[in-house]
């Protein structure tokens, strides 16, 4: 069992930056792959970024590549999503996710956080 709690959401103007945090508990943090998804009203939840167990491999959706960076610190059981050059279309509820496999965390994560709202105004 893994519990995930997101924080750091808020409102920011277009072009601004925001960093989301995900605190994990339960299983040993280094044993799970971490990821981020987002869901805007009326839209399906979509993959944003993922990071492997020890941080050696990261993947980002094309829509955020070059603007978002995912990272983790296994000594703190925490993962982050650093977002820069934010656009109004980035507005969504952002969810932290975890899975035993890297492929799983990009498609069908086993564990989910409650979400944190990010609103980008123009």
């Amino acid at each position: 069992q893994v519990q995930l709690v997101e924080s750091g959401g808020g409102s920011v103007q277009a072009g601004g930056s925001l960093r989301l945090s995900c605190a994990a508990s339960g299983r040993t943090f280094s044993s799970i792959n971490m990821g981020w998804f987002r869901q805007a009203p009326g839209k399906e939840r979509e993959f944003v970024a993922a990071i492997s167990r020890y941080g050696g491999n990261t993947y980002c959706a094309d829509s955020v590549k070059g603007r978002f960076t995912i990272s983790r610190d296994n000594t703190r059981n925490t993962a982050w999503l650093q977002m820069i050059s934010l656009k109004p279309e980035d507005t969504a509820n952002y969810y932290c996710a975890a899975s035993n496999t890297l492929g799983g965390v990009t498609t069908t994560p086993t564990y989910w956080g409650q979400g944190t709202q990010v609103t980008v105004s123009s």
Side-chain angles (χ1 to χ4, degrees):
Q1 185 67 35
V2 175
Q3 295 81 44
L4 305 172
V5 180
E6 306 97 327
S7 62
S11 298
V12 65
Q13 292 184 329
S17 301
L18 205 61
R19 187 174 78 161
L20 307 182
S21 297
C22 177
S25 62
R27 291 179 61 187
T28 301
F29 187 62
S30 62
S31 71
I32 53 175
N33 300 274
M34 302 294 297
W36 290 91
F37 284 70
R38 66 186 182 185
Q39 186 170 24
K43 296 185 178 181
E44 296 292 322
R45 192 169 298 185
E46 66 173 343
F47 168 75
V48 175
I51 187 167
S52 59
R53 290 180 172 86
Y54 300 100
N57 296 293
T58 60
Y59 301 91
C60 291
D62 289 341
S63 59
V64 304
K65 191 169 295 182
R67 299 187 299 116
F68 290 12
T69 302
I70 188 170
S71 61
R72 67 190 296 163
D73 183 347
N74 290 352
T75 68
R76 298 186 63 190
N77 292 352
T78 302
W80 296 272
L81 184 68
Q82 179 67 56
M83 306 181 292
I84 65 171
S85 301
L86 283 162
K87 306 174 181 179
E89 51 263 46
D90 294 320
T91 295
N93 199 10
Y94 283 70
Y95 296 87
C96 183
S99 180
N100 290 333
T101 65
L102 189 58
V105 85
T106 67
T107 55
T108 54
T110 303
Y111 306 100
W112 294 94
Q114 293 298 307
T116 185
Q117 181 66 36
V118 171
T119 302
V120 184
S121 62
S122 60

